[in-house]
Amino acid sequence: SVDCSCRSEEHGVEVVWPRGFSLQQALARPRPRRVRESWPPECGTNRWLEAGKIWYQRPGKDESERVWEMVRRVKANVAKDGTPLEATDVLAVVRRSKREPAIVLVLNYRPPVDAWSVELPAGMVDAGETALEAGIRELREETGFIAEKDRGVFALCYPDPWKSTESYLTCTVEIDGDLECNRHPKPKHEDDEAFAAVLLVAVSALPRVLTLLAEAGCKLEARSVGIAQGIMLATEMVAPSGQ
């Protein structure tokens, strides 16, 4: 485990409030506790999500209960290691000779926003799969691309912890775009899916392309925007090695 006890910026983290705290001290501060929760009785009509309420109390003897509305998945599958695992997405980078590496994006119709959503390939983890296996499978189903190299699985992510317990693991893979199977990929979409296109976006062009897609009426999924912001930070604010 990482030692968070230092007050310096050894790990690249500085606690600016509360003043004088180490990261370890900040993480050890008393936090609110969940008191009770309420969920509708199982009726078998909800396939993915259900809404409920939780009550919590902040630290302090006289603190009254506060209520919070939230949603959760009806059911989570179990991964190979026996832990519950809901979903995965995959950051797939296509490498082709004499061309800039490109990121795979999909234009996926999302009924809640009634628009094409710009997203990474993603989906539910099937029972018995690892996050990486699910990510590679979803990549092939949604885009037709076949991943060649695994670059790792990131920590468990919570895309909207203010309203949901939904979580996913995100994977990074590389695709050899010069292979015959990846030159003209053919997706295999399910009947309840609606995609407009599979896109390859040059890494350096991602921030600009997302802006153009938003202006065209697409909705930007948070992960795609986060990656674009990361590229901008790395390009504009992080000095190259040796400078």
Side-chain angles (χ1 to χ4, degrees):
S1 61
V2 177
D3 179 11
C4 302
S5 60
C6 60
R7 294 175 184 269
S8 68
E9 298 178 50
E10 179 182 348
H11 301 293
V13 179
E14 178 185 1
V15 178
V16 297
W17 181 90
R19 188 175 180 181
F21 270 51
S22 68
L23 180 57
Q24 185 179 51
Q25 290 172 320
L27 294 174
R29 296 189 73 194
R31 63 181 177 86
R33 64 183 183 90
R34 183 180 297 191
V35 178
R36 54 195 173 95
E37 56 188 79
S38 174
W39 299 93
E42 293 186 13
C43 58
T45 59
N46 289 7
R47 183 182 179 188
W48 302 116
L49 301 171
E50 59 184 358
K53 293 182 179 180
I54 57 174
W55 287 259
Y56 70 97
Q57 286 181 316
R58 296 190 302 184
K61 294 182 180 179
D62 299 326
E63 182 64 36
S64 61
E65 292 184 5
R66 297 169 181 245
V67 64
W68 195 279
E69 298 174 353
M70 62 171 289
V71 297
R72 67 180 181 185
R73 288 200 181 275
V74 174
K75 181 181 179 181
N77 285 324
V78 178
K80 279 187 174 179
D81 62 2
T83 59
L85 188 57
E86 296 176 349
T88 183
D89 73 7
V90 56
L91 172 57
V93 180
V94 177
R95 294 185 178 274
R96 295 170 288 181
S97 58
K98 300 181 180 180
R99 302 186 70 171
E100 181 182 346
I103 294 173
V104 181
L105 296 175
V106 295
L107 299 184
N108 190 0
Y109 176 73
R110 295 299 188 183
V113 294
D114 191 27
W116 299 117
S117 176
V118 185
E119 305 176 2
L120 300 178
M124 303 297 293
V125 177
D126 289 342
E129 282 186 316
T130 65
L132 181 61
E133 290 170 343
I136 291 174
R137 173 182 53 76
E138 290 288 351
L139 175 68
R140 187 167 186 174
E141 292 173 357
E142 293 189 1
T143 72
F145 282 113
I146 300 175
E148 178 194 39
K149 185 177 181 180
D150 161 30
R151 297 190 65 86
V153 178
F154 205 70
L156 195 65
C157 303
Y158 290 82
D160 51 1
W162 66 274
K163 79 171 190 295
S164 170
T165 58
E166 181 181 7
S167 63
Y168 63 89
L169 284 167
T170 183
C171 313
T172 304
V173 300
E174 288 188 12
I175 298 168
D176 186 344
D178 292 327
L179 293 178
E180 185 62 33
C181 61
N182 290 324
R183 289 182 180 178
H184 304 287
K186 295 182 179 180
K188 294 183 179 179
H189 298 145
E190 298 180 9
D191 291 339
D192 60 351
E193 295 177 326
F195 290 85
V198 177
L199 308 178
L200 286 183
V201 181
V203 171
S204 63
L206 183 61
R208 181 176 71 255
V209 170
L210 291 185
T211 299
L212 292 174
L213 290 170
E215 292 173 349
C218 294
K219 306 302 182 184
L220 306 182
E221 192 269 334
R223 280 274 290 135
S224 60
V225 175
I227 293 169
Q229 290 176 313
I231 292 171
M232 293 174 63
L233 286 171
T235 302
E236 300 173 6
M237 300 185 182
V238 180
S241 178
Q243 293 189 7

